[in-house]
Amino acid sequence: MSAAQQIIGSANPLSESPIPSPTSGERNDHLWEIASLRQALRDGPSTEQQNDATKRPAGGISLDVMRSLYASNSGPIGLRRSNSSVVYPGGPPEFPPVKKLNPLNKKRILVSGGAGFVGSHLVDRLMLMGHDVIAIDNYFTGSKTNLAHWFGHPNFEMIRHDVVDPIMLEVDQIYHLACPASPVHYQSNPVKTLKTGFFGTYNMLGLAKRVKARFLLTSTSEVYGDPEEHPQKETYWGHVNCIGPRACYDEGKRVAEALAYSYARQDGVDVRVARIFNTFGPRMNWNDGRVVSNFIVQALKNDDITIYGDGSATRSFQYVHDLVDGLIALMESDYKEPVNLGNPEEYTIKQFADTILQLVRDHKERCGEAAPTSKVVHLPAAEDDPQRRKPDTTRAKEVLGWAPQWSATDGLRETVAYFHGRMQQG
Ligand code: NAD
Ligand code: UDP
């Protein structure tokens, strides 16, 4: 083990499962059948370490390598984070091990919004798979530190750019993620959110048309609004208030979908549309106002857990690695209609608060800390808050062979450890 790896291993908040060297994790390479996976999760391993063996990261990338890229207190191989700055402990950076692809299989891939929560995980995966990746971002809600471990890598380029303006690049594929996703952020400047939804998607589609790149839009379950159909299938047209506070995001994504299919019909652009349901994981902004980060941070800090309304609204939460698997599978598939990507495990927000409190309690106990003293408090309900949300993922199973591999609680365990580590860093 190198000195750099020793530093990382010793500082890792997920210290119950120290990060092994990046070449040691090939045990996850093979595909797992969903049924046996579920069975294994139900019956089998009692420890987190054993549970990991049931996860199947796409692209043959080991979970341990992916974890090493976001574990708190440490950066990836060769670099270390300290108060949001990055230091290289002795000598030039060592990069995470990327696959060497045959030039015929190596693609030039653009990820807009690449410095954000989902975007940075997608960039990690595509880089580890051996592609050339260009990330563009205006850093509204994203951060360069999410991708700092790739700076200087010959396969990677980061460009500060606002997608509301056109850009000229030569690429084979475009994953278009640029858009704030947290209600607090997208409502803070609703006109900008609409401009990003329309002009941002228009510019990315124009680029796709010019260079004949395949284009994937990260749309959202919000296109279903406050749904009258449950669970939500892709054939449902939705129930959106077009003049409410969420309209800037919901209608921005609806027009983005309309643009994508108009470019497909009119100009033959090769489009894919993922409708993403609530997703969480490491690298979420601790202060972005979404329920997962709010509840975890509140419980870790012994603050009140803030439930908006009576807590009976429901959501279904997927772990970010599952989403990245689905996005890549969709991009590589021939399927052109929208596809829901989400975990159908449905929680009321009240149940979710209790689950997080329990997971934080368990985590603190493992760390030898006192149990959280947070109380649940009820605040006024958010306007136009969708009351029930759960994806019907039949289409994703049928056309992509995709289903979530992570239970919400397994993903939340990692996310709690991540936020705890970040808080200890200060
Ligand atoms: P995020 O806010 O963490 O990331 C969005 C990224 O886009 C940020 O890095 C931000 O700086 C960048 N960005 C925003 N506006 C931009 C602009 N005009 N030009 C360039 N960059 C811009 O959000 P996320 O959770 O990572 O979401 C990524 C995508 O997935 C978004 O399109 C979002 O709508 C979609 N989505 C996410 C979820 C979820 O639960 N995370 C659910 C449904 C859909
Ligand atoms: N919510 C809550 N307390 C919080 C943050 C969110 O009760 O501190 C609720 C919110 O009203 C909604 C659900 O949690 O019912 C999910 O909210 P989030 O902002 O995470 O995402 P949304 O699915 O609404 O876009």
Side-chain angles (χ1 to χ4, degrees), residues 40-72:
L41 281 170
R42 256 198 314 274
D43 302 338
S46 53
T47 67
E48 287 164 40
Q49 190 73 49
Q50 284 169 309
N51 270 340
D52 289 349
T54 64
K55 309 290 193 297
R56 173 190 62 82
I61 306 301
S62 116
L63 193 52
D64 295 322
V65 171
M66 290 186 328
R67 276 185 182 142
S68 76
L69 305 185
Y70 55 75
S72 313

Side-chain angles (χ1 to χ4, degrees), residues 276-287:
I276 302 172
F277 285 64
N278 295 63
T279 305
F280 69 92
R283 299 205 190 115
M284 291 185 88
N285 275 331
W286 66 271
N287 61 351

Side-chain angles (χ1 to χ4, degrees), residues 67-108:
R67 276 185 182 142
S68 76
L69 305 185
Y70 55 75
S72 313
N73 288 344
S74 67
I77 324 307
L79 64 81
R80 190 157 53 103
R81 295 217 175 100
S82 152
N83 292 331
S84 81
S85 66
V86 175
V87 289
Y88 294 99
E94 283 175 54
F95 291 106
V98 304
K99 287 193 175 171
K100 202 164 169 52
L101 286 180
N102 176 323
L104 292 174
N105 298 330
K106 186 170 179 169
K107 299 193 176 77
R108 288 164 305 169

Side-chain angles (χ1 to χ4, degrees), residues 355-373:
T355 301
I356 289 197
L357 267 171
Q358 185 58 48
L359 291 172
V360 170
R361 191 173 296 122
D362 294 346
H363 181 78
K364 285 191 162 189
E365 194 179 310
R366 279 198 297 276
C367 296
E369 292 181 23
T373 54

Side-chain angles (χ1 to χ4, degrees), residues 30 33 47 184 215 392 395:
H30 46 287
E33 291 298 325
T47 67
V184 174
F215 174 92
D392 182 318
R395 183 177 281 183

